[in-house]
Amino acid sequence: MINYDPILQIFSSTLVNDKKYVSGFGTRQLGDSRNIENVIRFFSSAEISYKTIVLMEQIHSANVEEFTPQNGKEIERIEETDGVVTKESQTPLVVSTADCVPIIFADKKAERIGISHQGWRGSMKKLQQKMVKKMIEKGSRAENILVAIGPAIGACCYDVDDERYYNFLEEFDGYSEKIFQMKGGRYHLNLMLLNYLLLIDAGIKKEHIDWFPFCTKCDKKRFFSNRRDKKHEFGEMMSFVMKV
Ligand SMILES: [Zn+2]
């Protein structure tokens, strides 16, 4: 189940969060997460103590890295990647999104966590499946991996042009009826559902996936939206996962 914490102003998954694992999908109330000061302020006001915050450059790739601490810096930024996994504790993995899909992974048996950011490009390149593969490569079993899919643009607001529609059709032929709906003469893509289906394909159990039909563009009160917001009001929300 996805819950909202009105004090921390984050959504979180009851599948992932417990005494040893903390994670969340931030709202716009936390400020623009591209500004690292806002991220640091969140962890300190939430009283989450950490050694190193791990950020990614986020280039809409399907690159996945494993994080191992190098020099004990407070902030580490991994270049040219959109997915990261780690076994380290007190090391929050953070992504920033505003319409793209943030996904949190936790394998409590192998004690490994991960986070990824996928818009249409990363979704098409199957980054979510590459995250699962990376965790398996490092010793996880698919049936032990818990997943939380965070707030992203809903099919209600995500119309795509014909070229992109045909690109998706080519790549995900079997899913086209599920992931597309026609509205106002244009195809609308359900990016969250596509990620959900691809995770199931990768061997994740249905009951191990938490998600909620958010729409970042419809819900202006809680979320920033790349499609909706004008430049001066635009920001991105942070999502994070950490082993305590
Ligand atoms: Zn919407």
Side-chain angles (χ1 to χ4, degrees), residues 3 11 37 58 88 125 140 159 165 174 176 191 193 214 244:
N3 284 338
F11 289 91
E37 297 304 321
Q58 297 189 199
E88 291 298 310
K125 292 175 194 160
S140 288
D159 56 309
Y165 169 71
S176 57
L191 209 50
L193 180 60
F214 297 104
V244 175

Side-chain angles (χ1 to χ4, degrees), residues 31 46 56 107 124 135 147 156 160 164 188 192 211-212 240:
M56 290 179 280
D107 175 353
M124 189 179 274
M135 290 180 79
V147 180
C156 43
V160 295
R164 202 173 300 171
H188 284 60
M192 274 183 281
W211 67 309
F212 185 85
F240 73 98

Side-chain angles (χ1 to χ4, degrees), residues 153-154 156-157 215 217-218:
I153 193 163
C156 43
C157 295
C215 176
K217 192 178 169 203
C218 286

Side-chain angles (χ1 to χ4, degrees), residues 209-227:
I209 304 178
D210 246 347
W211 67 309
F212 185 85
F214 297 104
C215 176
T216 43
K217 192 178 169 203
C218 286
D219 193 342
K220 191 172 183 177
K221 212 178 97 198
R222 285 178 161 153
F223 304 121
F224 291 115
S225 166
N226 188 27
R227 280 236 175 161

Side-chain angles (χ1 to χ4, degrees), residues 122-139:
S123 299
M124 189 179 274
K125 292 175 194 160
K126 301 183 185 168
L127 172 57
Q128 65 303 92
Q129 294 193 341
K130 290 188 174 142
M131 287 292 292
V132 174
K133 274 186 203 144
K134 183 65 134 190
M135 290 180 79
I136 291 171
E137 191 187 300
K138 297 287 172 186

Side-chain angles (χ1 to χ4, degrees), residues 64-80:
V64 181
E65 296 289 332
E66 173 169 55
F67 176 76
T68 46
Q70 304 293 328
N71 44 24
K73 280 197 289 188
E74 186 187 0
I75 312 288
E76 288 271 9
R77 195 179 295 270
I78 305 178
E79 286 176 7
E80 294 184 4

